[in-house]
């Protein structure tokens, strides 16, 4: 009676083991990323944020002679879509819906006054001031109140995002938001409000100094 011959165990190829380890690692990383975005769950890998920024350096000081007489708060919804020729949006293209919030100041430049722009009578009871028209400052986008509502990207765009780290990915919609806020400020009557507030401020100041009649005009 002969004993059965045992077949030698088949060896798993080395490349198959490496492939399995890579797939397992990717699965763990993907699961960790998914869990980290769920509300109420802590980051699976216990990430920690450290601020290693250096101290802020003072580069220059500029004297300001502007009287900031009014400030407007604005909000705009930017819908920016980029398409590629001969390719559907699902393959290459992007669309971003962005809410931009910011402020625009209106000011009167008191430093531009000449000697002839301020006239006072001999009794110092009457004063006439000629000021330049109010102007709008540069729109300032508030990052704390601005945010992207949705981002739609094609397959090629998503693949490109995996191999690049672009900190200016929202720069285009932010520029559009600033431009639209600036256009809205021009139509808002903000400069007229600034001139009214400047007139009230100067009249109150000069009357407190003993002037009985104060006249403020504007012109370039």
């Amino acid at each position: 009676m002969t004993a059965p011959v045992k077949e030698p165990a088949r060896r798993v190829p080395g490349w198959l083991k490496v492939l399995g380890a890579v797939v397992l690692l990717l699965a763990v990383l993907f699961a960790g990323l998914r869990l980290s975005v769920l509300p109420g769950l802590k980051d699976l890998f216990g990430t920690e944020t450290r601020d290693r920024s250096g101290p802020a350096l003072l580069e220059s000081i500029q004297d300001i002679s502007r009287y900031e007489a009014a400030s407007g708060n604005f909000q705009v919804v930017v819908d920016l879509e980029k398409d590629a020729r001969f390719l559907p949006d699902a393959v290459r293209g992007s669309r971003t819906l962005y809410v931009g919030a910011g402020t625009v100041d209106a000011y009167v430049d008191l430093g531009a006054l000449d000697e002839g722009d301020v006239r006072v009578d001999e009794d110092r009871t009457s004063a006439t001031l000629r000021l330049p028209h109010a102007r709008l400052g540069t729109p300032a986008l508030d990052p704390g109140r601005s945010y992207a509502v949705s981002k739609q990207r094609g397959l090629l765009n998503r693949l490109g995002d995996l191999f690049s780290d672009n900190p200016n990915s929202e720069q285009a919609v932010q520029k559009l938001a600033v431009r639209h806020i600036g256009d809205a400020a021009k139509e808002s009557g903000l400069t007229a409000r600034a001139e009214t507030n400047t007139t009230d401020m100067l009249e109150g100041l000069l009357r407190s100094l003993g002037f009985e009649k104060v006249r403020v005009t504007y012109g370039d």
Side-chain angles (χ1 to χ4, degrees), residues 82-207:
K82 294 183 179 180
D83 299 324
R85 273 188 175 183
F86 311 116
L87 289 176
D89 295 341
V91 176
R92 183 173 180 83
S94 64
R95 182 176 181 180
T96 304
L97 194 62
Y98 184 84
V99 175
T103 58
V104 180
D105 295 331
Y107 66 91
V108 176
D109 190 2
L110 300 179
L113 298 179
D114 296 328
E115 294 182 0
D117 293 331
V118 179
R119 291 179 294 173
V120 179
D121 65 352
E122 296 180 357
D123 298 335
R124 296 186 62 83
T125 58
S126 177
T128 301
L129 294 86
R130 177 181 172 85
L131 307 179
H133 281 295
R135 296 183 178 181
L136 295 174
T138 303
L141 199 65
D142 186 356
R145 297 188 295 126
S146 303
Y147 55 93
V149 178
S150 66
K151 294 181 180 179
Q152 300 175 4
R153 300 185 301 275
L155 178 60
L156 295 180
N157 300 85
R158 292 179 180 274
L159 290 176
D161 293 342
L162 292 176
F163 299 99
S164 65
D165 186 10
N166 184 11
N168 297 322
S169 59
E170 293 184 355
Q171 188 176 25
V173 289
Q174 289 174 351
K175 286 184 176 180
L176 276 177
V178 169
R179 190 180 74 184
H180 290 316
I181 288 175
D183 293 340
K186 295 176 183 178
E187 305 296 332
S188 65
L190 198 58
T191 53
R193 174 67 69 86
E195 292 181 1
T196 300
N197 294 341
T198 303
T199 299
D200 294 340
M201 182 273 295
L202 291 174
E203 288 180 349
L205 176 63
L206 293 177
R207 286 197 172 94

Side-chain angles (χ1 to χ4, degrees), residues 6-10:
K6 295 183 179 179
E7 296 183 1
R10 294 183 180 179

